[in-house]
């Protein structure tokens, strides 16, 4: 054996050990074995042994490793670690790590993912979705609510209260529905597909707010009093955190609650004097109970030595003295109730604090914990529901609407938009299914909640824009027959609330993900914050585990770059196998790039938002890809869904790849070097093909199993604003071959308009029956209803004072 062969064999064996994450001891034994082989075969004597000893001994001798290496590194680490405020720390530590941890660590266990149970509705939940949800959708005329009333009509409000739509999260013992997260998600999807005002109004009380906070942190008295009243709709809640000076930076609210004595119900009691100015508060104008976040202070030391106690949450009844509430904001013509609340010297007793005095100062932590649940459900589900309904309605419209003698959906340019609509709707449903499954398993996945919120609302924006483009003027002219415009107008609301999207992408996803999902970083930080021997012991263990992790991911990334991912184990042998393999490759890449970014930039990474955003994108697309594969598996791998699944996976993987390349291209010399190692042969994933886009477009344009599954659970009844499109679609498809028959009999091309006349002509030519003539008539009526838009008398568009004046003048 020559030295060169020995070197190559050693590299392969040690590389394989690192690739498979062998322990330090196994790795050392592997090195000794190779040295022994080298010596026994006479290749070398002692020099390589000395080199190996110098490198490996310090790591293998705990005394040296801990007391010399780890100790010194710990001293430097403590100096360079960025300062972290308590609110940042609370946000970081809130919630749990679930599948996000698995994909961050470079070696996702796909079998583990497949063993996660598929979500299911109980009989009660299914019945609620089929009955109560359909009923309320049929009751609500969205145009009337958004244009005329600027509110939902009273009977809809009452129905929502009576049927406990606001109590989906409240436990049965308090009279609530206690639905699973998955059921809540399906319900919101259906409502959002019908009306944004409806979905927003129902979504908020079931998300972060008094109900959720009371169930987790309320005292027994608070729970017994409020929860039954919230469950039966006697109380309408809102939660007020945002103030004019503190939006995204909500931890900096200037609102205060000062501990003092005051009078309550005729007695002098210890309490808080509140001064606050809040805005953008959903449901505030109609709320009967206000959850309020403020900074609690005790300057006179009435309850202890701490002067600045911190963010605290309390519940205020609407009619409390000193509070101004009732005025409304107008959020983009989707007038769900939203408005400001002010309070001047409002006195509340201590037991108004959620959880009582014991929870004083713990408000931020409470909010962050609850946010990691609510944010997984409400906005992602509303977005997915919107996208699913848009996919069906746009597919139907593009088959019914013709230009240049063709259904517009058959034109290649339109196909491109339709592919995005269909593929994204499939993907979004997959994400909500997977992430709410996590909640139902007891997780509070804070990183996944940020991923779902950001990506689902952005994808809805994309789907909405595409749907508008395909509909042309039909989407633009508002009126009772426009089923798109209000949803389009309201899309930025979801982008802005619960963590505005730019901030969520740039700061939150990776900021939290890097620390929570990484197997060693949080432990290193905690160890560094722990004094004495225990701190050093923990730091030593975490640090050297971390170093092994970095080397392993380096080797894996290098191997995948040069060797590709075809030898990676995949839990499938069909066309999905390549996706599992690529996901494993990209997961190792993320783990490696993440450590490189942290190593090179250190605390500066917090300010390098564009780097952080791209690392967050990688984590997000790995989660989204997992959700797509899981959905396909849970659905029983239906062949009809393959185009949708392929498009969703290819688009996701391509975006993942682009985020990696963009990061490397913006990471100086280190980035260029890594790009050469990780992408030596250039890009490995292509964008979804035109052929795939064409197949999706066809799926959306006619009834079939894949289309039915795509729109599953949505309100498509003819009683709804666009359910009739489904009926017209069936008629138009039935008319198409008959139309061709009439053309053939007539010996000329006939326009696909005035279908009732074509029907009569067919009858005269003896090629159509009476029923078929009837079908032509019905199809024409439906076709015109679909393509026509509303117009108004000028005075019908007057609003506010102008409308009052017109009314007075014309009374
Ligand atoms: C319709 C509606 C309903 C709402 N409902 C409620 C409610 O019920 N209760 C409640 O308390 N609040 C509510 N909010 C408030 C909502 O959560 C805030 O609007 C949101 O936190 C953003 O604050 P802001 O609008 O002041 O934007 P700003 O904080 O001024 O942000 C402006 C832009 O700067 C970006 N940005 C800010 N900081 C950073 C950063 N560090 N890095 C990168 N980008 C950054 C943001 O992403 C955003 O794009 C609601 C808001 C709206 C519009």
């Amino acid at each position: 054996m020559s030295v060169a062969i020995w070197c190559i064999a050693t590299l392969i064996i040690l590389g394989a050990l690192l690739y498979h994450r062998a322990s330090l001891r196994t790795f050392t034994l592997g090195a000794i074995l190779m040295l022994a082989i080298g010596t026994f075969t006479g290749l070398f004597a002692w020099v390589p042994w000395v080199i190996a000893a110098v490198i490996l001994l310090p790591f293998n001798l705990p005394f040296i490793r801990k007391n010399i290496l780890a100790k010194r590194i710990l001293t430097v680490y403590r100096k360079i670690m960025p300062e972290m405020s308590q609110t940042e720390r609370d946000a970081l530590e809130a919630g749990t790590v679930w599948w996000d941890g698995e994909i961050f660590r470079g070696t996702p266990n796909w079998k583990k993912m497949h063993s996660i149970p598929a979500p299911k509705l109980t009989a009660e939940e299914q019945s609620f979705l089929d009955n109560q949800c359909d009923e309320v959708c049929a009751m609500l005329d969205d145009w009337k609510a958004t244009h005329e009333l600027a509110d939902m009509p009273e009977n809809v409000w009452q129905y929502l209260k009576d049927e406990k739509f606001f109590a989906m999260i409240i436990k049965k013992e308090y009279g609530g529905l206690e639905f699973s997260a998955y059921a809540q998600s399906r319900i919101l999807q259906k409502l959002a597909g019908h009306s944004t005002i409806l979905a927003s109004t129902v979504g908020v009380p079931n998300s972060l707010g008094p109900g959720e906070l009371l169930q987790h942190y309320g005292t027994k008295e608070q729970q017994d009093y409020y929860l039954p009243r919230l469950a039966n709709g006697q109380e309408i809640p809102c939660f007020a955190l945002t103030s004019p000076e503190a939006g995204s930076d909500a931890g900096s609210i200037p609102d205060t609650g000062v501990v003092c004595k005051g009078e309550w119900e005729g007695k002098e009691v210890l309490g808080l004097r509140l001064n606050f100015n809040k805005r953008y508060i959903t449901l505030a104008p109609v709320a009967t109970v206000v959850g309020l976040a403020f900074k609690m202070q005790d300057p006179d030391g009435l309850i202890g030595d701490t002067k600045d106690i911190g963010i605290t949450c309390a519940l205020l009844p609407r009619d409390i003295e000193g509070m101004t509430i009732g005025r409304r904001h107008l959020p983009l013509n989707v007038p769900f109730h939203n408005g400001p609340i002010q309070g001047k010297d409002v006195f509340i007793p201590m037991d108004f604090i959620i959880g009582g005095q014991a929870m004083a100062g713990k408000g931020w932590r409470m909010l962050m914990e609850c946010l990691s649940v609510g944010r997984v459900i409400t906005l992602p589900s509303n977005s997915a529901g919107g996208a699913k309904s848009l996919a069906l309605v746009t597919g139907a419209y593009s088959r019914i609407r013709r230009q240049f003698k063709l259904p517009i959906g058959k034109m290649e340019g339109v196909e491109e938009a339709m592919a995005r609509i269909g593929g994204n709707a499939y993907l979004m449903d997959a994400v909500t299914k997977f992430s709410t499954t996590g909640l139902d398993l007891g997780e509070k996945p804070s990183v996944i909640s940020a991923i779902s919120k950001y990506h689902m609302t952005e994808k809805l924006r994309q789907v909405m824009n595409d749907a508008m483009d395909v509909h042309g003027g039909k989407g633009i002219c508002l009126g009772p027959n426009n089923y798109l415009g209000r949803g389009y107008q309201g899309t930025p609301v979801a982008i802005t609330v619960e963590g505005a999207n730019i901030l969520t992408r740039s700061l939150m996803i990776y900021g939290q993900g890097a620390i929570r999902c990484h197997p060693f970083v949080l432990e290193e930080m905690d160890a560094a914050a722990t004094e004495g021997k225990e701190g050093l012991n923990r730091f030593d263990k975490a640090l050297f585990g971390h170093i092994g992790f970095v080397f392993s991911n380096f080797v894996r990334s290098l191997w995948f770059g040069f060797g590709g991912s075809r030898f990676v184990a995949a839990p499938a042998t069909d066309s999905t196998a390549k996706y599992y393999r690529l996901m494993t490759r990209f997961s190792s890449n993320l783990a490696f790039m993440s450590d490189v970014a942290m190593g090179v930039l250190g605390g500066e990474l917090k300010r390098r938002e564009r780097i952080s955003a791209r690392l967050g994108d990688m984590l997000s697309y790995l989660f989204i890809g997992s959700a797509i594969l899981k959905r396909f598996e849970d659905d029983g791998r239906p062949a009809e869904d393959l185009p949708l699944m392929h498009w969703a996976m290819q688009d996701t993987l391509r975006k993942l790849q682009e985020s990696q390349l963009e990061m490397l291209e913006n990471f100086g010399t280190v980035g260029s070097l890594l790009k050469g190692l990780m992408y030596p042969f250039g890009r490995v994933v292509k964008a979804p093909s035109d052929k795939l886009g064409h197949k999706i477009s066809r799926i959306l344009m006619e009834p079939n199993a894949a289309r039915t599954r795509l729109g599953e659970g949505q309100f498509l009844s003819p009683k709804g604003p666009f359910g009739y499109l489904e009926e017209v679609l069936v008629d138009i498809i039935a008319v198409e071959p008959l139309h061709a028959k009439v053309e053939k009999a007539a010996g000329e091309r006939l326009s696909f308009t005035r279908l009732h006349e074509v029907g009569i002509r067919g009858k005269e030519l003896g090629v159509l029956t009476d029923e078929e003539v009837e079908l032509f008539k019905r199809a024409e009526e439906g076709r015109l209803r679909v393509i026509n838009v509303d117009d108004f008398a000028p005075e019908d568009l007057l609003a506010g004072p102008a409308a009052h004046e017109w009314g007075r003048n014309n009374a």
Side-chain angles (χ1 to χ4, degrees):
M1 183 161 60
S2 71
V3 173
I5 292 177
W6 180 87
C7 286
I8 292 169
T10 305
L11 275 179
I12 291 174
I13 288 186
L14 296 187
L17 287 172
L18 280 171
Y19 179 100
H20 289 291
R21 306 231 193 285
S23 66
L24 177 62
R25 185 180 297 176
T26 314
F27 182 82
T28 309
L29 285 175
I32 291 172
L33 180 73
M34 291 315 292
L35 287 169
I37 290 173
T39 305
F40 285 124
T41 50
L43 287 177
F44 48 75
W46 52 271
V47 176
W49 287 91
V50 173
I51 298 170
V54 170
I55 297 171
L56 290 173
L57 264 183
F59 291 108
N60 280 282
L61 295 176
F63 178 79
I64 302 181
R65 191 186 65 213
K66 203 186 302 176
N67 294 315
I68 301 179
L69 291 177
K71 205 171 183 175
R72 290 199 176 155
I73 297 172
L74 179 58
T75 312
V76 178
Y77 186 91
R78 281 181 172 141
K79 275 192 198 137
I80 60 166
M81 224 177 55
E83 289 262 320
M84 199 181 286
S85 67
Q86 191 55 41
T87 48
E88 277 178 304
R89 191 152 190 104
D90 284 346
L92 260 181
E93 289 175 355
T96 59
V97 176
W98 183 53
W99 185 250
D100 41 340
E102 193 74 25
I103 48 179
F104 197 93
R105 292 167 198 204
T107 51
N109 181 344
W110 300 115
K111 285 199 179 128
K112 190 168 152 194
M113 182 180 85
H114 286 183
S115 71
I116 296 169
K120 262 203 182 92
L121 297 179
T122 63
E124 185 195 356
E125 291 165 346
Q126 186 69 57
S127 163
F128 191 89
L129 184 67
D130 294 340
N131 298 302
Q132 280 91 334
C133 288
D134 278 20
E135 181 70 26
V136 78
C137 287
M139 279 166 85
L140 183 69
D141 174 346
D142 194 55
W143 172 250
K144 196 167 178 178
T146 56
H147 182 68
E148 294 172 23
L149 301 174
D151 194 358
M152 296 185 297
E154 192 42 48
N155 64 332
V156 173
W157 272 103
Q158 199 53 51
Y159 186 80
L160 292 173
K161 289 177 191 170
D162 292 346
E163 295 300 328
K164 305 189 175 181
F165 275 83
F166 300 138
M168 292 195 283
I169 54 167
I170 294 181
K171 293 204 174 83
K172 283 208 157 69
E173 59 183 291
Y174 295 108
L177 294 174
E178 200 176 349
F179 280 168
S180 63
Y182 176 59
Q184 291 175 52
S185 169
R186 304 309 278 185
I187 289 164
L188 289 172
Q189 285 193 11
K190 183 173 262 190
L191 304 184
H194 175 69
S195 156
T196 309
I197 188 170
L198 184 59
S200 307
T201 307
V202 172
V204 167
N206 287 298
S207 185
L208 175 63
E212 179 80 347
L213 293 169
L214 281 169
Q215 292 205 110
H216 285 98
Y217 310 101
T219 61
K220 174 107 182 51
E221 291 73 33
Q222 290 170 339
Q223 290 176 341
D224 288 345
Y225 178 76
Y226 275 114
L227 292 174
R229 294 162 70 87
L230 286 167
N232 66 21
Q234 213 175 329
E235 302 277 2
I236 295 291
C238 70
F239 192 81
L241 170 64
T242 306
S243 74
E245 301 300 346
S248 299
D249 186 12
S252 70
I253 41 171
D255 313 289
T256 55
V258 178
V259 182
C260 64
K261 289 199 171 140
E263 200 184 302
W264 187 255
E265 293 176 342
K267 283 190 205 139
E268 191 190 62
V269 296
L270 194 63
L272 294 161
R273 193 175 57 252
L274 301 169
N275 282 286
F276 55 92
N277 181 13
K278 303 290 191 182
R279 68 175 180 182
Y280 303 154
I281 310 306
T282 302
L283 292 186
V286 289
T288 58
V289 53
V290 177
L292 185 82
F294 55 88
K295 284 203 171 137
M296 185 164 161
Q297 297 160 354
D298 183 17
D300 302 328
L302 294 179
I303 58 167
D305 298 333
T306 316
K307 285 193 168 34
D308 288 318
I309 296 172
I311 294 180
T312 302
C313 301
L315 289 182
L316 278 63
R318 182 186 181 91
D319 54 8
I320 198 163
E321 206 181 318
M323 185 159 80
T324 309
I325 186 168
R327 288 188 66 78
R328 295 182 66 174
H329 299 305
L330 179 54
L332 287 169
N333 286 339
V334 183
F336 57 88
H337 280 276
N338 184 283
I341 315 179
Q342 291 93 21
K344 174 120 187 57
D345 292 331
V346 177
F347 180 77
I348 57 166
M350 275 308 190
D351 56 13
F352 277 27
I353 294 176
I354 299 177
Q357 196 173 314
M359 295 306 280
K362 303 212 165 94
W364 189 253
R365 180 88 194 200
M366 286 156 63
L367 293 175
M368 291 302 111
E369 292 275 355
C370 291
L371 192 63
S372 35
V373 174
R375 201 168 47 179
V376 172
I377 305 175
T378 316
L379 294 168
S381 305
N382 287 357
S383 305
K388 283 165 68 176
S389 289
L390 288 172
L392 266 59
V393 84
T394 310
Y397 182 80
S398 71
R399 180 72 178 255
I400 298 164
R401 171 71 172 162
R402 288 178 172 236
Q403 289 293 284
F404 305 100
K405 301 190 172 65
L406 261 188
I408 54 168
K410 290 192 176 170
M411 294 164 190
E412 284 207 4
V414 176
E415 275 184 356
E416 204 178 323
M418 300 267 282
R420 279 193 297 265
I421 295 174
N424 278 321
Y426 181 87
L427 172 159
M428 292 164 80
D429 196 45
V431 169
T432 54
K433 273 189 175 139
F434 192 37
S435 51
T436 53
T437 300
L439 294 184
D440 287 329
L441 291 173
E443 301 290 344
K444 291 182 172 180
S446 49
V447 177
I448 290 175
S449 82
I451 291 174
S452 304
K453 191 272 161 174
Y454 172 79
H455 287 274
M456 296 309 98
T457 54
E458 288 295 339
K459 284 192 181 289
L460 175 66
R461 174 146 70 177
Q462 173 75 65
V463 170
M464 200 77 235
N465 284 344
D466 282 328
M468 285 294 280
D469 290 352
V470 173
H471 279 77
K474 170 79 183 172
I476 289 165
C477 291
L478 289 173
N481 280 306
N482 184 329
Y483 44 79
L484 283 183
R486 289 298 191 222
Y488 173 78
Q489 284 182 313
T491 307
V493 173
I495 301 287
T496 302
V497 301
E498 290 191 4
N501 274 8
I502 297 179
L503 166 102
T504 303
R505 173 171 178 255
S506 319
L507 218 64
M508 289 160 78
I509 296 177
Y510 183 73
Q512 263 190 325
I515 296 173
R516 293 304 308 273
C517 303
H518 194 289
F520 300 105
V521 167
L522 187 58
E523 177 57 11
E524 282 163 356
M525 287 168 67
D526 285 344
T530 310
E531 290 302 325
K533 217 171 164 186
E534 193 202 330
L536 180 61
N537 284 343
R538 283 174 59 189
F539 189 76
D540 168 64
K541 203 164 163 227
L543 175 72
F544 290 100
H546 193 161
I547 292 173
F549 182 70
V550 174
F551 276 105
S552 173
N553 288 318
F554 169 68
V555 168
R556 291 173 69 86
S557 295
L558 195 70
W559 170 247
F560 292 141
F562 285 91
S565 50
R566 64 189 147 270
F567 301 116
V568 178
T573 46
D574 62 6
S575 57
T576 58
K578 62 175 180 291
Y579 301 138
Y580 286 101
R581 294 192 178 115
L582 279 165
M583 293 273 287
T584 299
R585 169 186 178 149
F586 287 140
S587 171
S588 297
N589 289 164
L590 166 63
F592 180 57
M593 290 166 80
S594 176
D595 274 319
V596 170
M598 284 194 256
V600 172
L601 296 173
E604 177 67 12
L605 182 54
K606 202 168 144 185
R607 282 172 289 279
R608 296 289 299 277
E609 289 192 349
R610 279 185 278 199
I611 297 293
S612 166
R614 289 174 186 129
L615 286 162
D617 286 347
M618 294 174 212
L619 180 60
S620 303
Y621 293 128
L622 283 167
F623 181 74
I624 293 170
S626 304
I628 299 165
L629 292 169
K630 176 84 171 106
R631 174 189 174 161
F632 188 63
E633 180 75 17
D634 288 348
D635 285 351
R637 312 176 80 78
E640 311 87 8
D641 290 6
L642 278 170
L644 293 162
M645 185 278 295
H646 282 310
W647 189 96
M649 272 318 288
Q650 290 170 19
D651 187 62
T652 301
L653 289 170
R654 191 183 63 91
K655 288 189 167 127
L656 212 172
Q657 166 186 268
E658 295 311 307
S659 53
Q660 290 198 342
L661 288 168
E662 276 174 27
M663 179 188 149
L664 295 174
E665 281 156 11
N666 287 281
F667 207 69
T669 318
V670 176
S672 309
L673 216 76
L674 292 185
K675 191 178 162 194
L677 294 177
M678 289 163 64
Y679 286 91
F681 311 117
R683 286 175 164 74
V684 292
V685 184
K686 288 193 204 127
S689 66
D690 294 353
K691 220 166 154 184
L692 203 51
H694 171 76
K695 285 186 190 163
I696 294 179
S697 189
R698 289 304 148 101
I699 287 178
L700 298 189
M701 286 170 71
E702 60 195 23
N704 54 60
R707 187 176 186 274
T708 305
R709 244 189 313 277
L710 193 64
E712 198 197 332
Q714 293 309 103
F715 182 62
L716 299 169
S717 147
K719 290 185 196 160
F722 51 68
Y724 70 91
L725 267 96
E726 293 294 298
E727 294 184 333
V728 179
L729 175 66
V730 173
D731 285 347
I732 291 288
I733 289 172
V735 159
E736 280 171 0
L738 297 173
H739 188 273
K741 209 165 149 188
V742 180
E743 279 183 327
K744 196 170 169 206
E748 60 175 315
R749 288 287 311 258
L750 299 171
S751 150
F752 206 82
T753 58
R754 307 180 71 78
L755 293 175
H756 54 298
E757 290 176 6
V758 179
I760 293 167
R761 178 108 184 256
K763 173 82 183 163
E764 285 165 4
L765 289 166
V767 292
L768 293 184
T769 65
D770 285 342
E771 275 128 48
E772 286 166 340
V773 175
E774 226 6 73
L775 173 66
F776 270 74
K777 191 170 161 236
R778 199 171 66 231
E780 180 60 9
E781 280 165 13
R783 196 185 69 81
L784 290 179
R785 185 167 171 212
V786 169
I787 65 169
N788 283 343
V789 299
D790 301 290
D791 46 50
F792 300 89
E795 61 273 17
D796 287 346
L797 294 180
L798 298 175
H804 295 310
E805 196 185 327
W806 191 89
R808 270 197 305 277
N809 295 341
N810 292 279

